[in-house]
Amino acid sequence: GYVPSTVGEADAITLGGAYTTEDLAAAPGDEDFRREKVELLNLFRYSAPRTFQIAPGNVDPAIVCALRLALLTPAELESECAGSWYRAVVHAPVSDDNEQRVAQALRRRLQDALEADKSSIEEDEALLLAEGSDLDDAMRCAVQLRLNRKRLLAELIRIVKSFSGRPRGSNLLDALGEYMPRVRML
């Protein structure tokens, strides 16, 4: 088989659920507030076993929308959303603070995915470039696929990390849209 040496649309990262239990635990609120949040997250099918794809040119905006809801605070629900839970799941930021928490949570999740692999980007590159390597074609393709996935993760981490330097009122979906133009919803 053949695997391109650059990241392409076939390279994708699959997330099991749009948020993690750690994301829910990080947001303040009493038990009733969390229960309502979880009910809405489940209603919108944002939790595992549903999967979400991130690939060059395509990110599921539900990931960001779900994190906005998961990380919503009681104060934001009242002040920014006028008490409406549904305001938190539209394709617009709830608040600057919420959007920054969303970016941090997404960056953490992407970083965890990158660190889950035992080898680094540099090690995979060296393995593919090694003279006299004993990699057969199937193993070479597998290493290249793994490397492309890591490069995609590293680029996404860079983009999400740079979001913290954006002006107030910025939308994380717009920041991702600069790299992934199909993220916009019409």
Side-chain angles (χ1 to χ4, degrees):
Y2 172 74
V3 176
S5 60
T6 58
V7 176
E9 287 194 28
D11 297 301
I13 297 152
T14 302
L15 300 177
Y19 65 94
T20 66
T21 55
E22 291 83 12
D23 296 328
L24 283 176
D30 63 20
E31 196 58 40
D32 288 339
F33 186 77
R34 289 175 199 255
R35 183 183 40 72
E36 280 190 75
K37 233 193 265 194
V38 169
E39 286 174 7
L40 268 177
L41 288 164
N42 289 336
L43 175 70
F44 288 112
R45 298 184 42 235
Y46 285 149
S47 57
R50 181 178 173 191
T51 59
F52 298 84
Q53 297 283 316
I54 299 176
N58 191 6
V59 64
D60 191 333
I63 297 166
V64 172
C65 294
L67 285 170
R68 286 174 178 155
L69 176 58
L71 298 171
L72 186 72
T73 67
E76 288 167 337
L77 177 64
E78 292 308 314
S79 66
E80 305 295 332
C81 301
S84 172
W85 285 98
Y86 294 99
R87 169 65 177 81
V89 293
V90 297
H91 296 273
V94 170
S95 70
D96 291 324
D97 290 340
N98 180 271
E99 202 73 353
Q100 289 300 321
R101 287 192 306 274
V102 168
Q104 290 169 359
L106 182 57
R107 186 177 77 224
R108 234 183 352 262
R109 187 128 183 234
L110 295 169
Q111 189 68 46
D112 288 348
L114 182 61
E115 292 170 359
D117 284 320
K118 300 213 184 304
S119 62
S120 67
I121 290 174
E122 295 77 16
E123 289 169 330
D124 283 353
E125 288 171 340
L127 187 59
L128 290 171
L129 294 173
E131 294 282 331
S133 171
D134 61 350
L135 291 179
D136 62 22
D137 285 343
M139 186 58 80
R140 183 169 294 283
C141 287
V143 172
Q144 187 64 60
L145 282 170
R146 182 176 67 193
L147 176 59
N148 288 354
R149 181 178 179 272
K150 289 177 191 175
R151 286 176 174 160
L152 175 58
L153 283 165
E155 177 63 10
L156 289 167
I157 291 165
R158 184 194 66 73
I159 291 167
V160 174
K161 188 176 182 180
S162 72
F163 180 76
S164 64
R166 295 230 171 181
R168 296 184 70 73
S170 294
N171 185 332
L172 181 57
L173 288 173
D174 288 338
L176 291 169
E178 292 172 8
Y179 178 64
M180 304 175 173
R182 283 188 260 156
V183 76
R184 292 199 185 346
M185 300 297 289
L186 300 176

